[in-house]
Amino acid sequence: MPVALAAALDDFAVYLEVDRGTSDHTVRAYVGDVADLLRHAATQGAVTLDAVELSTLRSWLTVLSERGLARSTLARRGASARAFFDWARTTGRVVVDPSARLASPRVPRTLPTVLAVDAAARLLDVARDAADAGSADGEAPARLREWAAAELLYGAGVRVGELSGVDVDDVDLGDRTVRVLGKGDKERVVPFGVPAARAVRRWLDAGRPALVTARSGPALFLGDRGGRWGPRQVREAVHRLAAAAGVDDVAPHDLRHSAATHLLAGGSDLRSVQEILGHSSLATTQRYTHVTAERLRSSFEQAFPRA
Protein backbone atom coordinates (compact mmCIF):
# COMPACT_ATOMS: atom_id res chain seq x y z
CA MET A 1 0.00 0.00 0.00
CA PRO A 2 1.40 3.47 -0.86
CA VAL A 3 2.83 5.41 2.07
CA ALA A 4 0.23 8.20 1.95
CA LEU A 5 -2.67 5.72 2.03
CA ALA A 6 -1.12 3.71 4.87
CA ALA A 7 -0.53 6.89 6.90
CA ALA A 8 -4.16 7.97 6.44
CA LEU A 9 -5.35 4.55 7.57
CA ASP A 10 -3.20 4.74 10.71
CA ASP A 11 -4.55 8.22 11.52
CA PHE A 12 -8.12 6.99 11.02
CA ALA A 13 -7.52 4.15 13.47
CA VAL A 14 -6.21 6.60 16.08
CA TYR A 15 -9.25 8.83 15.52
CA LEU A 16 -11.62 5.91 16.12
CA GLU A 17 -9.79 4.72 19.23
CA VAL A 18 -8.97 8.05 20.89
CA ASP A 19 -11.43 10.67 19.67
CA ARG A 20 -14.52 8.51 19.31
CA GLY A 21 -13.74 5.90 21.94
CA THR A 22 -14.83 3.13 19.56
CA SER A 23 -14.61 -0.44 20.85
CA ASP A 24 -11.62 -2.55 19.80
CA HIS A 25 -13.87 -4.91 17.85
CA THR A 26 -15.42 -2.07 15.84
CA VAL A 27 -12.06 -0.43 15.20
CA ARG A 28 -10.71 -3.71 13.79
CA ALA A 29 -13.76 -4.03 11.53
CA TYR A 30 -13.52 -0.45 10.20
CA VAL A 31 -9.76 -0.56 9.70
CA GLY A 32 -9.91 -3.97 8.04
CA ASP A 33 -12.59 -2.80 5.60
CA VAL A 34 -10.80 0.43 4.74
CA ALA A 35 -7.45 -1.34 4.36
CA ASP A 36 -9.04 -3.66 1.82
CA LEU A 37 -10.47 -0.65 -0.03
CA LEU A 38 -7.16 1.20 -0.10
CA ARG A 39 -5.30 -1.88 -1.36
CA HIS A 40 -7.85 -2.11 -4.17
CA ALA A 41 -7.42 1.61 -4.89
CA ALA A 42 -3.66 1.10 -5.09
CA THR A 43 -4.13 -1.59 -7.76
CA GLN A 44 -6.11 1.04 -9.69
CA GLY A 45 -3.13 3.41 -9.56
CA ALA A 46 -4.10 5.56 -6.57
CA VAL A 47 -1.17 6.72 -4.42
CA THR A 48 -3.01 9.48 -2.50
CA LEU A 49 -6.53 9.76 -1.11
CA ASP A 50 -7.44 12.44 -3.64
CA ALA A 51 -6.93 9.88 -6.39
CA VAL A 52 -9.68 7.62 -5.01
CA GLU A 53 -12.88 8.29 -6.95
CA LEU A 54 -16.47 7.07 -6.84
CA SER A 55 -15.67 4.66 -9.67
CA THR A 56 -12.91 3.18 -7.49
CA LEU A 57 -15.34 2.53 -4.66
CA ARG A 58 -17.89 1.00 -7.01
CA SER A 59 -15.34 -1.31 -8.60
CA TRP A 60 -14.21 -2.38 -5.12
CA LEU A 61 -17.75 -3.35 -4.12
CA THR A 62 -18.18 -5.13 -7.44
CA VAL A 63 -15.09 -7.23 -6.80
CA LEU A 64 -16.37 -8.08 -3.32
CA SER A 65 -19.76 -9.03 -4.71
CA GLU A 66 -18.13 -11.30 -7.28
CA ARG A 67 -16.33 -13.03 -4.41
CA GLY A 68 -19.75 -14.01 -3.09
CA LEU A 69 -19.89 -11.76 -0.05
CA ALA A 70 -23.34 -11.38 1.51
CA ARG A 71 -25.35 -8.18 1.04
CA SER A 72 -25.04 -7.41 4.73
CA THR A 73 -21.25 -7.62 4.46
CA LEU A 74 -21.20 -5.38 1.38
CA ALA A 75 -23.40 -2.87 3.18
CA ARG A 76 -21.00 -2.84 6.13
CA ARG A 77 -18.00 -2.36 3.84
CA GLY A 78 -19.77 0.56 2.19
CA ALA A 79 -20.54 2.09 5.57
CA SER A 80 -16.88 1.79 6.55
CA ALA A 81 -15.83 3.56 3.36
CA ARG A 82 -18.30 6.39 3.99
CA ALA A 83 -17.11 6.82 7.57
CA PHE A 84 -13.48 6.91 6.43
CA PHE A 85 -13.97 9.48 3.68
CA ASP A 86 -16.26 11.62 5.80
CA TRP A 87 -13.41 11.77 8.32
CA ALA A 88 -10.90 12.44 5.54
CA ARG A 89 -12.98 15.35 4.19
CA THR A 90 -13.60 16.80 7.67
CA THR A 91 -9.88 16.71 8.46
CA GLY A 92 -8.88 18.22 5.12
CA ARG A 93 -7.25 15.12 3.68
CA VAL A 94 -9.57 15.21 0.66
CA VAL A 95 -11.52 18.09 -0.86
CA VAL A 96 -14.35 16.01 -2.25
CA ASP A 97 -15.84 12.96 -0.53
CA PRO A 98 -16.02 10.24 -3.24
CA SER A 99 -18.31 8.10 -1.08
CA ALA A 100 -21.07 10.72 -0.85
CA ARG A 101 -22.94 9.14 -3.79
CA LEU A 102 -21.97 5.55 -3.04
CA ALA A 103 -25.04 3.32 -2.82
CA SER A 104 -24.84 0.18 -0.72
CA PRO A 105 -26.90 -2.95 -1.36
CA ARG A 106 -30.24 -2.91 0.42
CA VAL A 107 -30.15 -5.45 3.23
CA PRO A 108 -33.44 -7.26 3.77
CA ARG A 109 -34.83 -6.69 7.25
CA THR A 110 -34.61 -9.83 9.34
CA LEU A 111 -36.37 -10.25 12.62
CA PRO A 112 -34.19 -11.24 15.57
CA THR A 113 -34.53 -14.66 17.14
CA VAL A 114 -36.88 -14.43 20.10
CA LEU A 115 -37.87 -17.12 22.57
CA ALA A 116 -41.47 -17.34 23.66
CA VAL A 117 -42.04 -16.36 27.29
CA ASP A 118 -42.53 -19.96 28.39
CA ALA A 119 -39.42 -21.10 26.48
CA ALA A 120 -37.29 -18.40 28.13
CA ALA A 121 -38.66 -19.46 31.52
CA ARG A 122 -37.86 -23.08 30.75
CA LEU A 123 -34.24 -22.26 29.86
CA LEU A 124 -33.79 -20.32 33.10
CA ASP A 125 -35.48 -23.06 35.14
CA VAL A 126 -33.10 -25.61 33.67
CA ALA A 127 -30.15 -23.38 34.59
CA ARG A 128 -31.47 -23.03 38.16
CA ASP A 129 -32.11 -26.78 38.52
CA ALA A 130 -28.59 -27.55 37.27
CA ALA A 131 -27.19 -25.11 39.83
CA ASP A 132 -29.21 -26.79 42.58
CA ALA A 133 -27.90 -30.19 41.53
CA GLY A 134 -24.34 -28.97 41.06
CA SER A 135 -23.30 -29.47 44.65
CA ALA A 136 -23.89 -33.19 44.26
CA ASP A 137 -21.75 -33.67 41.14
CA GLY A 138 -18.94 -31.24 41.96
CA GLU A 139 -19.98 -28.72 39.31
CA ALA A 140 -21.53 -26.15 41.65
CA PRO A 141 -19.40 -23.07 40.73
CA ALA A 142 -19.79 -23.55 36.98
CA ARG A 143 -23.52 -24.22 37.20
CA LEU A 144 -24.12 -21.26 39.52
CA ARG A 145 -22.17 -19.08 37.10
CA GLU A 146 -24.26 -20.19 34.12
CA TRP A 147 -27.51 -19.64 35.99
CA ALA A 148 -26.57 -16.15 37.20
CA ALA A 149 -25.26 -15.15 33.75
CA ALA A 150 -28.39 -16.36 31.95
CA GLU A 151 -30.63 -14.57 34.43
CA LEU A 152 -28.78 -11.27 33.88
CA LEU A 153 -28.65 -11.63 30.11
CA TYR A 154 -32.41 -12.03 30.02
CA GLY A 155 -33.44 -10.20 33.17
CA ALA A 156 -31.40 -7.05 32.44
CA GLY A 157 -31.23 -7.33 28.66
CA VAL A 158 -27.47 -6.68 28.61
CA ARG A 159 -25.08 -7.48 25.79
CA VAL A 160 -22.68 -10.38 26.24
CA GLY A 161 -19.67 -8.03 26.20
CA GLU A 162 -21.31 -5.86 28.83
CA LEU A 163 -21.96 -8.89 31.01
CA SER A 164 -18.34 -10.02 30.78
CA GLY A 165 -17.15 -6.55 31.76
CA VAL A 166 -19.28 -6.27 34.92
CA ASP A 167 -17.36 -6.04 38.22
CA VAL A 168 -18.62 -7.10 41.63
CA ASP A 169 -19.12 -3.49 42.75
CA ASP A 170 -21.25 -2.81 39.66
CA VAL A 171 -24.05 -4.96 41.09
CA ASP A 172 -26.43 -3.59 43.72
CA LEU A 173 -28.51 -6.48 45.00
CA GLY A 174 -30.47 -4.19 47.31
CA ASP A 175 -31.73 -1.99 44.47
CA ARG A 176 -31.50 -4.88 42.00
CA THR A 177 -29.49 -2.90 39.44
CA VAL A 178 -26.31 -3.50 37.48
CA ARG A 179 -24.02 -0.84 36.01
CA VAL A 180 -22.67 -1.75 32.56
CA LEU A 181 -20.38 -0.09 30.05
CA GLY A 182 -22.04 -0.18 26.62
CA LYS A 183 -21.09 0.80 23.10
CA GLY A 184 -19.08 4.00 22.82
CA ASP A 185 -18.08 3.65 26.48
CA LYS A 186 -21.55 4.80 27.52
CA GLU A 187 -22.40 3.77 31.05
CA ARG A 188 -25.93 2.92 32.12
CA VAL A 189 -27.62 1.38 35.14
CA VAL A 190 -30.10 -1.39 34.36
CA PRO A 191 -32.70 -2.94 36.69
CA PHE A 192 -33.23 -6.68 37.04
CA GLY A 193 -35.77 -8.79 38.86
CA VAL A 194 -35.92 -11.01 41.92
CA PRO A 195 -34.96 -14.27 40.12
CA ALA A 196 -31.79 -12.68 38.74
CA ALA A 197 -30.96 -11.21 42.15
CA ARG A 198 -31.36 -14.64 43.74
CA ALA A 199 -29.07 -16.26 41.16
CA VAL A 200 -26.37 -13.58 41.42
CA ARG A 201 -26.43 -13.73 45.23
CA ARG A 202 -25.88 -17.50 45.20
CA TRP A 203 -23.06 -17.08 42.67
CA LEU A 204 -21.40 -14.49 44.89
CA ASP A 205 -21.87 -16.54 48.05
CA ALA A 206 -21.06 -20.04 46.84
CA GLY A 207 -19.73 -19.93 43.28
CA ARG A 208 -17.31 -17.08 42.82
CA PRO A 209 -15.31 -17.68 46.04
CA ALA A 210 -14.47 -21.18 44.80
CA LEU A 211 -12.88 -19.80 41.61
CA VAL A 212 -11.12 -16.67 42.90
CA THR A 213 -7.37 -16.49 42.28
CA ALA A 214 -4.73 -13.76 42.41
CA ARG A 215 -5.60 -12.83 38.82
CA SER A 216 -9.34 -12.49 39.35
CA GLY A 217 -9.46 -8.80 40.19
CA PRO A 218 -12.93 -7.29 40.59
CA ALA A 219 -14.59 -9.30 37.79
CA LEU A 220 -18.08 -10.51 38.67
CA PHE A 221 -17.97 -13.62 36.49
CA LEU A 222 -14.85 -15.77 36.62
CA GLY A 223 -13.70 -18.54 34.33
CA ASP A 224 -12.53 -21.92 35.56
CA ARG A 225 -8.97 -20.61 35.99
CA GLY A 226 -9.99 -17.52 37.89
CA GLY A 227 -9.73 -14.93 35.11
CA ARG A 228 -12.60 -12.84 33.79
CA TRP A 229 -15.20 -15.00 32.03
CA GLY A 230 -15.11 -14.04 28.36
CA PRO A 231 -17.92 -13.60 25.80
CA ARG A 232 -17.01 -16.79 23.95
CA GLN A 233 -17.40 -18.87 27.10
CA VAL A 234 -20.72 -17.15 27.87
CA ARG A 235 -22.01 -18.01 24.39
CA GLU A 236 -21.02 -21.64 24.81
CA ALA A 237 -22.85 -21.78 28.13
CA VAL A 238 -26.05 -20.30 26.68
CA HIS A 239 -26.01 -22.77 23.78
CA ARG A 240 -25.65 -25.64 26.27
CA LEU A 241 -28.55 -24.36 28.37
CA ALA A 242 -30.78 -24.02 25.30
CA ALA A 243 -30.00 -27.59 24.28
CA ALA A 244 -30.64 -28.88 27.80
CA ALA A 245 -33.95 -27.00 27.96
CA GLY A 246 -35.09 -28.29 24.59
CA VAL A 247 -35.76 -24.79 23.21
CA ASP A 248 -34.59 -23.15 20.00
CA ASP A 249 -30.82 -22.75 19.88
CA VAL A 250 -30.10 -19.22 21.04
CA ALA A 251 -27.08 -17.04 21.68
CA PRO A 252 -26.73 -14.47 24.48
CA HIS A 253 -27.91 -11.70 22.16
CA ASP A 254 -31.10 -13.64 21.50
CA LEU A 255 -31.87 -13.52 25.23
CA ARG A 256 -31.49 -9.74 24.97
CA HIS A 257 -33.83 -9.72 21.97
CA SER A 258 -36.30 -11.83 23.93
CA ALA A 259 -36.19 -9.51 26.93
CA ALA A 260 -36.88 -6.45 24.76
CA THR A 261 -39.77 -8.14 22.97
CA HIS A 262 -41.33 -9.39 26.19
CA LEU A 263 -41.03 -5.93 27.77
CA LEU A 264 -42.88 -4.32 24.88
CA ALA A 265 -45.48 -7.07 24.74
CA GLY A 266 -46.02 -6.57 28.47
CA GLY A 267 -46.78 -2.88 28.07
CA SER A 268 -43.43 -1.09 28.48
CA ASP A 269 -43.02 2.05 26.38
CA LEU A 270 -40.35 2.36 23.71
CA ARG A 271 -38.37 5.05 25.53
CA SER A 272 -38.02 2.92 28.65
CA VAL A 273 -36.91 -0.10 26.63
CA GLN A 274 -34.46 2.13 24.74
CA GLU A 275 -32.89 3.21 28.04
CA ILE A 276 -32.70 -0.35 29.34
CA LEU A 277 -31.04 -1.66 26.18
CA GLY A 278 -28.74 1.33 25.80
CA HIS A 279 -29.73 2.11 22.21
CA SER A 280 -28.55 5.50 20.98
CA SER A 281 -31.40 5.63 18.46
CA LEU A 282 -35.06 4.95 19.11
CA ALA A 283 -35.26 3.48 15.60
CA THR A 284 -33.12 0.57 16.75
CA THR A 285 -35.54 -0.17 19.57
CA GLN A 286 -38.55 0.14 17.27
CA ARG A 287 -37.65 -3.04 15.42
CA TYR A 288 -38.88 -4.96 18.44
CA THR A 289 -42.35 -3.60 17.78
CA HIS A 290 -42.15 -5.39 14.44
CA VAL A 291 -41.18 -8.61 16.22
CA THR A 292 -44.17 -8.29 18.53
CA ALA A 293 -46.50 -7.47 15.63
CA GLU A 294 -45.25 -10.42 13.59
CA ARG A 295 -45.79 -12.82 16.47
CA LEU A 296 -49.25 -11.44 17.14
CA ARG A 297 -50.13 -11.91 13.47
CA SER A 298 -48.80 -15.47 13.48
CA SER A 299 -50.83 -16.30 16.58
CA PHE A 300 -53.91 -14.66 15.05
CA GLU A 301 -53.63 -16.58 11.80
CA GLN A 302 -53.15 -19.89 13.59
CA ALA A 303 -55.96 -19.48 16.11
CA PHE A 304 -58.69 -17.34 14.58
CA PRO A 305 -61.14 -19.17 12.27
CA ARG A 306 -61.66 -16.10 10.08
CA ALA A 307 -58.03 -15.02 9.89
Side-chain angles (χ1 to χ4, degrees):
M1 186 186 302
V3 174
L5 300 184
L9 181 62
D10 290 341
D11 291 345
F12 180 58
V14 172
Y15 158 73
L16 292 174
E17 294 170 356
V18 178
D19 295 349
R20 288 186 54 180
T22 308
S23 70
D24 291 344
H25 174 78
T26 304
V27 170
R28 285 195 297 272
Y30 271 115
V31 171
D33 292 345
V34 176
D36 189 66
L37 164 61
L38 295 181
R39 283 193 292 268
H40 173 81
T43 66
Q44 305 294 304
V47 294
T48 64
L49 287 185
D50 283 323
V52 180
E53 301 177 342
L54 177 60
S55 59
T56 310
L57 302 181
R58 286 174 173 167
S59 67
W60 172 58
L61 290 179
T62 298
V63 170
L64 296 179
S65 178
E66 290 172 349
R67 290 182 195 166
L69 269 64
R71 284 190 176 188
S72 57
T73 303
L74 293 175
R76 193 202 74 195
R77 297 286 179 94
S80 296
R82 282 189 288 274
F84 173 71
F85 278 104
D86 179 67
W87 163 82
R89 182 191 57 79
T90 301
T91 56
R93 287 171 171 80
V94 296
V95 177
V96 178
D97 178 356
S99 70
R101 293 189 291 121
L102 179 67
S104 293
R106 183 178 295 276
V107 180
R109 173 180 286 172
T110 56
L111 295 175
T113 301
V114 173
L115 290 177
V117 173
D118 60 343
R122 188 157 64 250
L123 184 150
L124 296 172
D125 287 346
V126 164
R128 181 200 60 210
D129 292 345
D132 289 341
S135 57
D137 60 19
E139 295 292 331
R143 299 296 170 254
L144 287 170
R145 178 182 59 202
E146 292 181 358
W147 176 33
E151 285 282 5
L152 279 182
L153 286 167
Y154 175 73
V158 297
R159 301 177 178 93
V160 63
E162 294 170 347
L163 180 86
S164 295
V166 171
D167 291 337
V168 173
D169 289 344
D170 292 329
V171 178
D172 187 327
L173 291 175
D175 288 343
R176 297 203 304 273
T177 59
V178 58
R179 183 172 62 247
V180 297
L181 194 63
K183 291 183 176 180
D185 287 338
K186 293 180 180 177
E187 185 178 277
R188 71 184 190 281
V189 176
V190 189
F192 55 82
V194 173
R198 185 181 303 118
V200 172
R201 186 178 298 280
R202 284 191 55 189
W203 159 248
L204 287 172
D205 290 345
R208 189 179 185 278
L211 297 177
V212 168
T213 66
R215 60 193 290 260
S216 298
L220 174 63
F221 289 107
L222 305 178
D224 293 340
R225 296 184 179 180
R228 190 179 291 274
W229 206 32
R232 181 174 63 83
Q233 288 75 28
V234 180
R235 292 188 186 95
E236 292 172 352
V238 171
H239 287 306
R240 283 196 301 271
L241 289 174
V247 302
D248 292 341
D249 185 33
V250 290
H253 213 66
D254 298 324
L255 294 181
R256 173 176 161 88
H257 291 321
S258 301
T261 304
H262 298 165
L263 278 168
L264 288 171
S268 290
D269 62 276
L270 273 173
R271 288 290 182 187
S272 296
V273 176
Q274 179 189 11
E275 289 295 323
I276 290 171
L277 297 181
H279 288 157
S280 57
S281 169
L282 188 62
T284 305
T285 314
Q286 283 178 324
R287 67 175 172 162
Y288 293 107
T289 63
H290 300 299
V291 177
T292 303
E294 286 292 327
R295 294 189 179 279
L296 285 174
R297 176 171 292 281
S298 176
S299 176
F300 174 81
E301 292 175 347
Q302 292 176 18
F304 193 54
R306 295 182 67 84

